[in-house]
Amino acid sequence: MKKFLVLFLLVTAVGLAQNLNGYKYAMVPAKFTFLKEENMYNLNLLTKMYLQKYGFETYYNTETAPDEFVNSNCNKIYIEVLENNNMFTTKLKVVIKDCKGTVLATSEEGTSRDKEYRVAYNEALRMAFDNFGILKTHKFQPTEKSLGMIGEPAQSLENTEKREVLEKGLYSKKELASDQMFIKQYNVVATKNGFNLITTDSDYKIFQIFKTTSNEIFIANRDNVFGVLIKKNNNWFFEYYDENVFKSELIKVAF
């Protein structure tokens, strides 16, 4: 009986992983239903960063996104974070749904007993993502559904070719802009809970960054602007909100 149960669980896990592999995009709400403000405690930003880490091209539901993302509802997964707190413990779990509201996968519950809300919510959400094994195995494999060919108008080959040309043009402009960007360099000073990043031309402490369970994601504070320092394609980026506008800055630092 136990062998059949193990086999069933393995088959189920493989099936769920394959379901997720059919999706290139993920949509994250700018505000979770259990919180009062957009990106409160940086939870929405942290969610977006984890999904990008696991291979999804991710956008907020309020964010300007490519036509391929906007014009199809069923080529993306939809992310919810649910709260189940009690008096002493913060509890969060991540739920992944498709365009019809069908649950594709649910994480284990992440928990924290920290008394400070910002710390507790971040710890609980990181635990939920770090233990979300199916999400970690995601590797996009195009299907008819993910390309918008089932239940949605198919795009002609001519339109597809035009889109590819446009995308290549956009990417080349982005790369050029990155090459021309001035990148400030920082020295690294270890602290008990993370690092201080100090500009090389002065002793001014510009960044405080705090460890998470991932070596590629840090909670960051720069002059009381809170965000996330995240590693993408071997580069570090400071990502944060400025008057509800999402910003991402390339940072020159080596740990």
Side-chain angles (χ1 to χ4, degrees):
M1 183 64 181
K2 290 183 179 180
K3 291 182 179 180
F4 284 113
L5 178 59
V6 171
L7 180 60
F8 172 77
L9 292 175
L10 286 173
V11 170
T12 302
V14 171
L16 289 172
Q18 289 176 340
N19 283 340
L20 294 184
N21 288 343
Y23 293 94
K24 176 181 180 181
Y25 298 107
M27 178 181 283
V28 174
K31 173 184 172 297
F32 291 128
T33 56
F34 60 92
L35 295 175
K36 297 179 180 179
E37 302 174 6
E38 289 189 3
N39 195 39
M40 196 168 182
Y41 308 129
N42 282 324
L43 295 189
N44 302 76
L45 180 58
L46 187 60
T47 298
K48 185 178 181 182
M49 296 302 98
Y50 265 103
L51 288 162
Q52 290 176 336
K53 176 183 177 181
Y54 296 144
F56 291 95
E57 190 171 328
T58 309
Y59 299 92
Y60 295 118
N61 59 340
T62 57
E63 186 177 4
T64 301
D67 289 343
E68 184 180 353
F69 179 89
V70 174
N71 293 338
S72 173
N73 288 326
C74 293
N75 66 349
K76 63 181 75 71
I77 57 172
Y78 296 79
I79 308 301
E80 293 182 6
V81 174
L82 304 181
E83 179 191 56
N84 183 32
N85 295 350
N86 59 34
M87 186 178 297
F88 303 105
T89 308
T90 298
K91 301 179 182 181
L92 299 177
K93 65 179 178 179
V94 181
V95 179
I96 299 175
K97 296 183 178 181
D98 66 12
C99 59
K100 297 180 180 179
T102 303
V103 175
L104 301 177
T106 303
S107 74
E108 296 180 11
E109 203 167 56
T111 63
S112 173
R113 289 183 173 270
D114 199 290
K115 295 180 180 180
E116 185 178 345
Y117 285 138
R118 178 182 294 275
V119 175
Y121 277 108
N122 273 267
E123 283 185 352
L125 186 59
R126 291 197 305 270
M127 181 183 293
F129 271 112
D130 288 337
N131 294 328
F132 208 166
I134 292 171
L135 189 61
K136 292 181 178 181
T137 64
H138 170 258
K139 186 176 182 181
F140 176 55
Q141 298 172 351
T143 64
E144 289 184 349
K145 185 174 182 179
S146 68
L147 295 173
M149 297 179 182
I150 294 179
E152 299 178 15
Q155 299 188 26
S156 67
L157 179 61
E158 180 181 1
N159 287 339
T160 301
E161 291 174 346
K162 286 181 179 179
R163 186 178 70 249
E164 289 176 351
V165 171
L166 288 173
E167 287 178 349
K168 288 179 180 177
L170 287 172
Y171 289 142
S172 63
K173 290 178 182 178
K174 287 179 181 178
E175 291 169 359
L176 179 61
S178 296
D179 290 340
Q180 295 175 343
M181 185 186 302
F182 175 73
I183 306 171
K184 185 176 274 297
Q185 296 188 9
Y186 298 92
N187 290 326
V188 179
V189 178
T191 64
K192 180 180 178 181
N193 298 315
F195 302 92
N196 287 335
L197 307 186
I198 303 174
T199 53
T200 57
D201 54 352
S202 73
D203 290 330
Y204 176 56
K205 184 171 64 178
I206 186 70
F207 264 125
Q208 291 177 300
I209 63 173
F210 303 92
K211 296 176 182 178
T212 70
T213 53
S214 170
N215 292 329
E216 297 184 346
I217 300 176
F218 293 87
I219 298 172
N221 174 18
R222 185 179 68 185
D223 294 336
N224 290 323
V225 175
F226 287 90
V228 174
L229 188 69
I230 183 169
K231 188 175 184 180
K232 296 187 290 187
N233 298 323
N234 292 321
N235 291 312
W236 288 96
F237 293 85
F238 178 47
E239 302 197 338
Y240 60 96
Y241 273 90
D242 181 11
E243 295 183 350
N244 291 325
V245 177
F246 176 73
K247 295 189 176 182
S248 180
E249 298 179 11
L250 184 62
I251 302 298
K252 184 74 171 182
V253 62
F255 294 102

